[in-house]
Amino acid sequence: MPKNIYLDNQSTTKIDSDVLEAMLPYFSEKYGNASSSEHIFGWESNDGIEEARVTIANSIKAKPEDIIFTSGATESNNMLIRGLIDYSADQPVHVITTETEHKCILEALKRNAPFIEFTIIPVTTEGIVDIDAIRKAIRKNTVLVSVIFANNEIGSINPIKEIGKICLEHSIAFHTDAAQAMGKLDINVDEYHIDFLSASAHKIYGPKGVGLLYIRRTKGKCKIIPLMFGGGQENGIRSGTLNTPGIIGFAKAIKKSEEEFETRFWKYLSLRNHLYYSLIERFSFIQLNGTNIESIDLLKSKYSSAREASKHIQRLPNNLNISFNGIPSLELMKNIKTIAVSSGAACSSNKQEASHVLQALQLSNLLIHSSIRFGIGHQNTIEEIEETISKFGLTLEKYI
Ligand SMILES: *Cc1c(COP(=O)(O)O)cnc(C)c1O
């Protein structure tokens, strides 16, 4: 029986065993509703949640009371964009965003027209947002700039700190979708002038169905209206019984990502770089999509730690996105069924649809339909990478 290899960690990740273990008591004996303030079952759940809130807030240098738990980054992004609408205002608000956002930002904006006007800023051919274009797009009614921290398809990391500074200078709120960045890159909401931030547990070895929206409330630059009304949980911003096991798991996953930051970071880079260099050595027609592959030696000589290095890199350490010069990626994947990767031709849904992110890089359709994304996880081994190189090698040889 051939062993399956999972290299689709930008899509979702395998839950860590100690994350699962931390969650289990909250499914069985600690099942109280965190809002039940009259008995021990409620207190127990509430204590767990508040402790989790502190752990998660500390990891991005936020105040615990500014963390709102949601069902995931999709909900957080919708909560912010849809919450911006002030139906009583006679003027629509204006939002600036980019071509390479996750669909949930772009679709939420489109659904909210005509209450929201928006400008979509182009990106460079490497997938980095053009800062000058942001400056030029600012209008009198601009209330929010929303820029993805690190892209889920091509791994490009945007200049978050500089964008935050521009927003601060213009008193515009700044949101970043950090679903891919949290746990892998350094995040500091004060230093980067972030007012809103979305994240999701299942992208960092936590459970599916739990995420957060960070909302800077002191000196907050724009208010949002809740998506859901009811019991008034989460300061009235997100009603509904809290997902206690999920939140406990989210905090444990964040804690582990901090404890293992150094080892995971260098491991991602070393496996990713080995995969890339081995493939291009044999198949020089392979084209890299997104920003450069950074050298480990160079990063180690320049920066004292993985955390320091993570502030300066321009590509997620565990992301590789390459095009195979017209060889259809879906055909390649059919031939290598035991290796789970994702294709730029079908990544947003089950329909065969060219990725809007790769289109934003001005890639030809031929290159988009021959693109594959490899997302490395900390559980992957060098043996699995060697097997991936060998299997892709054997299949690619049939085409040349
Ligand atoms: C996965 C992802 C989302 C959606 O998160 P869910 O928690 O699955 O809803 C949003 N943005 C980015 C960048 C992502 O990678």
Side-chain angles (χ1 to χ4, degrees):
M1 261 279 287
K3 201 178 145 274
N4 293 323
I5 298 175
Y6 188 74
L7 290 177
D8 200 14
N9 286 276
Q10 245 95 53
S11 169
T12 193
T13 57
K14 177 182 175 180
I15 197 165
D16 275 329
S17 53
D18 37 7
V19 170
L20 180 62
E21 204 178 298
M23 292 169 69
L24 289 176
Y26 291 88
F27 283 111
S28 47
E29 64 268 25
K30 299 184 181 183
Y31 50 81
N33 185 329
S35 301
S36 302
S37 54
E38 309 84 10
H39 53 66
I40 178 117
F41 293 87
W43 303 333
E44 227 168 31
S45 287
N46 188 57
D47 286 351
I49 284 171
E50 292 317 313
E51 201 183 309
R53 202 187 301 277
V54 171
T55 303
I56 294 171
N58 285 344
S59 80
I60 58 169
K61 310 287 186 285
K63 291 199 180 104
E65 61 268 31
D66 288 351
I67 302 289
I68 302 299
F69 289 116
T70 66
S71 64
T74 300
E75 185 191 327
S76 305
N77 287 342
N78 272 271
M79 188 179 190
L80 172 63
I81 300 296
R82 303 193 67 115
L84 286 176
I85 301 176
D86 180 357
Y87 294 99
S88 62
D90 45 2
Q91 288 288 325
V93 292
H94 178 241
V95 174
I96 299 171
T97 191
T98 81
E99 278 184 310
T100 52
E101 296 306 302
H102 193 274
K103 281 275 181 193
C104 58
I105 288 280
L106 297 170
E107 288 302 313
L109 281 167
K110 283 177 198 159
R111 297 288 162 144
N112 276 343
F115 301 104
I116 295 185
E117 294 171 350
F118 56 95
T119 306
I120 300 178
I121 300 295
V123 295
T124 64
T125 51
E126 291 192 323
I128 302 282
V129 67
D130 179 351
I131 296 213
D132 281 333
I134 293 181
R135 265 202 200 91
K136 285 188 194 127
I138 295 173
R139 301 184 195 162
K140 267 205 185 110
N141 61 338
T142 306
V143 294
L144 178 78
V145 171
S146 180
V147 176
I148 193 163
F149 202 124
N151 187 270
N152 48 304
E153 291 186 40
I154 50 174
S156 309
I157 301 170
N158 278 309
I160 295 303
K161 199 171 169 177
E162 282 143 80
I163 301 166
K165 220 184 251 168
I166 296 173
C167 293
L168 186 72
E169 282 162 18
H170 290 84
S171 295
I172 296 166
F174 176 39
H175 167 251
T176 186
D177 176 352
Q180 295 289 337
M182 199 159 175
K184 293 195 206 87
L185 304 175
D186 180 70
I187 303 179
N188 183 325
V189 291
D190 286 337
E191 195 186 329
Y192 299 175
H193 312 297
I194 294 165
D195 299 295
F196 296 97
L197 178 143
S198 309
S200 179
H202 76 94
K203 302 292 173 76
I204 45 152
Y205 319 103
K208 290 164 185 66
V210 60
L212 66 84
L213 181 64
Y214 160 75
I215 304 179
R216 183 186 295 280
R217 262 174 294 182
T218 40
K219 292 193 231 155
K221 293 193 205 75
C222 69
K223 283 210 177 71
I224 60 170
I225 296 161
L227 266 188
M228 291 197 268
F229 298 93
Q233 286 89 344
E234 300 298 85
N235 275 313
I237 293 169
R238 205 274 190 180
S239 282
T241 302
L242 285 162
N243 173 0
T244 317
I247 292 165
I248 300 293
F250 192 2
K252 184 70 179 176
I254 290 285
K255 197 156 179 256
K256 294 258 329 185
S257 76
E258 294 205 309
E259 286 164 2
E260 297 180 9
F261 195 92
E262 192 78 22
T263 44
R264 287 186 189 180
F265 184 84
W266 300 119
K267 183 178 181 187
Y268 290 144
L269 276 165
S270 111
L271 295 182
R272 192 270 315 270
N273 290 10
H274 181 61
L275 175 61
Y276 175 64
Y277 287 115
S278 305
L279 287 174
I280 55 161
E281 195 181 349
R282 280 173 72 183
F283 307 100
S284 56
F285 57 80
I286 286 175
Q287 188 178 310
L288 179 68
N289 301 320
T291 40
N292 283 341
I293 296 296
E294 282 133 332
S295 141
I296 300 178
D297 289 344
L298 205 69
L299 289 173
K300 282 195 168 166
S301 72
K302 268 172 101 172
Y303 305 109
S304 56
S305 66
R307 190 164 283 279
E308 262 316 293
S310 83
K311 295 179 187 175
H312 300 277
I313 53 172
Q314 284 200 301
R315 185 177 194 117
L316 280 175
N318 68 334
N319 170 280
L320 179 65
N321 191 315
I322 48 182
S323 284
F324 294 94
N325 194 32
I327 303 170
S329 43
L330 293 177
E331 222 177 281
L332 278 178
M333 286 159 66
K334 247 182 235 158
N335 279 297
I336 318 172
K337 283 212 185 78
T338 53
I339 300 177
V341 290
S342 120
S343 151
C347 61
S348 357
S349 64
N350 294 325
K351 297 171 288 184
Q352 198 180 339
E353 191 181 87
S355 138
H356 71 285
V357 173
L358 296 178
Q359 282 176 344
L361 305 187
Q362 322 252 322
L363 282 193
S364 68
N365 259 329
L366 199 73
L367 287 177
I368 294 178
H369 287 278
S370 71
S371 72
I372 285 186
R373 174 187 69 184
F374 299 85
I376 289 159
H378 81 83
Q379 301 108 333
N380 285 124
T381 62
I382 182 70
E383 289 75 25
E384 289 179 322
I385 299 300
E386 294 294 4
E387 192 175 326
T388 303
I389 295 161
S390 137
K391 287 217 163 121
F392 269 83
L394 277 172
T395 310
L396 285 169
E397 249 147 34
K398 293 184 203 148
Y399 287 87
I400 50 173

